[in-house]
Amino acid sequence: MNTTTSQPAWHQRIYVQGWETAQGGTTPVREPATGQVLGEIGLADAQDVDRAARLAAQAQPGWAALPFDQRAAVLRRAEQLLADRADEFQHWNVREAGSIGPKAGWELQATREQLSMCAALPMQPLGQIFPSAMPGRTNYWRRVPIGTVGVIAPWNFPLLLAMRSVAPALALGNAVLLKPDVQTAVIGGALIAQLFADAGLPEGVLQVLPGGPATGDAVVRHPLVNMISFTGSTAVGRSIGQTCGGLLKKCALELGGNNALIVLDDADLEAASSSGAWGAFLHQGQICMQAGRHIVHRSVADRYAQLLSERAGKLHVGDPHAGPAHLGPIINQRQLDRIAGIVNEAVHAGARALTGGRHEGPFYWPTVLADVTPNMKAFTDEIFGPVAPITVFDTDEEAVALVNSSPYGLAAAIHTRNVQRGMALADRLHTGMIHINDQTVNNEFHVPFGGMGASGNGGRFGGPVNLDEFTQTQWVSVMEQGIQYPF
């Protein structure tokens, strides 16, 4: 254990049945807005993962055997502790993840809702009783824990997107290995470990293992890890899916998106442009549900672009820890270069930057691109930055074709004064979530969430689907007396 009083418990440590020195060394925790080193976290290697998995496998049966109300009580205490420690969690979300204050506050509240919902999962029905053609037989079909769930969480919503898998997995009797992204290993990992420890979760049930791709691969491949829940890029998700398929291991993949916001000719353009600005620029556009393609009817495209540009021009870009800001820093230089490259390439190919298109240090200004065509990367690629590319269409059929031309299928939004027309379009879109007269970045903890195509493998998070995602099923038949068969 760390006995240095001037440092937090997680300093240079990982959480494996308590705070321990990592075999994989350490890495600095950097503030993306300033580059300042805020601390140092341990890095788990394959040896750490192996020990954590073995301890989790030992602890899981006892946790699953606890009465449901005792498991629920741990999650309720964790939710209350999260409320009590809101300032600490929000501080790290702003400084480590580059979140603006309101985004960090929303994420914390959404995480509390996740915990509250998951505290109710253990008391849900475990299964069903089915009839039998065999006289005297009773068929029980029931849900049972998977065992140990490996959770690989991203950096953009590090608290919420970790807890979205950690909380239901624990509630339903599983142990968890959580691998947070090294860029947000404090808010997305260390603070979560301490939260559950203080809430009374038995030792060994949750292990927190910060690390890079090698750490994640060790979690995915470990024979004692029975399921992987991954949120991140489509490219990495494909690799994890292939590995899990070869190992016959369950996996839930929530991947990238190139989400479309459709603005029909009868739309309320003030509302549409507000949704467009929020969907494109929130958290610097670093959201899988970002409105990355603004597909606008030709008759209203100029006015929509004007309104969207005016909204973008009013947004303040800066260090969210230093003062109020609408947009904070891009998470790292590689991502900043990628955003700039896609925008510059589009402009070179004929698109017009109506506003933005520039960066200073780690900050990229909100950008509106007009005259974007379907062959440009600004249309085809997930930008993951504060860029709103506008592509025009003439008919509803063309709008549907433009949306469905993408291999991604996470979220879409439709703006129209005719709700029936919007519903008719929604029926033809290949996306997992569709919002009419709203924007694409929507999340309600009790509603199943997930994408189609390159945005996911059909799994869902949230509400009742957690029961199926984080359990496996078992058929048990019972006879009062043994059967005499022909031989």
Side-chain angles (χ1 to χ4, degrees), residues 56-67 70-71 173 202 205:
Q58 293 172 15
Q60 184 271 329
W63 169 245
L66 284 178
Q70 293 184 31
R71 279 186 276 125
V205 177

Side-chain angles (χ1 to χ4, degrees), residues 174-451:
N174 301 288
V176 173
L177 303 190
L178 169 60
K179 191 209 81 67
D181 192 290
V182 291
Q183 297 171 109
T184 50
V186 178
I187 177 67
L191 298 187
I192 293 173
Q194 195 63 58
L195 185 79
F196 277 106
D198 294 343
L201 186 70
E203 283 193 351
V205 177
L206 172 65
Q207 323 278 17
V208 177
L209 306 162
T215 308
D217 189 63
V219 171
V220 170
R221 294 180 183 276
H222 200 284
L224 294 178
V225 176
N226 310 104
M227 172 187 174
I228 297 297
S229 178
F230 171 78
T231 302
S233 73
T234 296
V236 176
R238 288 186 192 279
S239 176
I240 290 174
Q242 290 172 354
T243 300
C244 288
L247 297 172
L248 300 180
K249 184 177 296 190
K250 186 175 184 179
C251 68
L253 304 175
E254 202 272 283
L255 309 177
N258 190 7
N259 312 290
L261 186 144
I262 304 173
V263 182
L264 299 178
D265 53 343
D266 64 347
D268 177 342
L269 295 184
E270 289 289 347
S273 62
S274 177
S275 287
W278 183 264
F281 305 137
L282 176 65
H283 196 41
Q284 302 78 263
Q286 300 173 128
I287 307 174
C288 62
M289 295 176 287
Q290 180 214 16
R293 294 181 294 160
H294 297 238
I295 298 175
V296 185
H297 194 277
R298 190 180 304 275
S299 66
V300 297
D302 288 345
R303 179 59 177 159
Y304 176 81
Q306 179 189 0
L307 291 172
L308 188 59
S309 297
E310 289 173 357
R311 292 179 184 277
K314 295 176 182 177
L315 300 179
H316 174 67
V317 181
D319 180 356
H321 181 61
H326 297 103
L327 280 78
I330 302 300
I331 190 66
N332 57 44
Q333 187 64 43
R334 182 180 64 181
Q335 180 60 16
L336 183 73
D337 292 341
R338 184 176 179 276
I339 296 166
I342 290 175
V343 171
N344 293 339
E345 182 178 312
V347 171
H348 181 74
R352 292 179 293 129
L354 303 182
T355 188
R358 65 187 182 92
H359 58 92
E360 181 178 328
F363 304 99
Y364 199 95
W365 263 251
T367 299
V368 177
L369 289 177
D371 301 332
V372 173
T373 58
N375 61 331
M376 296 178 182
K377 286 185 178 180
F379 182 90
T380 60
D381 289 15
E382 181 183 29
I383 301 175
F384 228 65
V387 181
I390 299 175
T391 302
V392 301
F393 69 91
D394 293 299
T395 67
D396 289 7
E397 289 70 24
E398 185 181 359
V400 170
L402 286 169
V403 174
N404 291 341
S405 67
S406 173
Y408 295 102
L410 187 55
I414 302 168
H415 276 262
T416 175
R417 285 186 168 91
N418 185 335
V419 172
Q420 191 172 20
R421 181 184 179 192
M423 290 293 291
L425 255 68
D427 289 343
R428 300 163 63 189
L429 301 183
H430 302 156
T431 61
M433 299 173 285
I434 303 170
H435 309 290
I436 296 175
N437 291 324
D438 202 347
Q439 42 80 38
T440 56
V441 185
N442 269 295
N443 180 81
E444 293 198 50
F445 63 93
H446 60 292
V447 182
F449 177 108

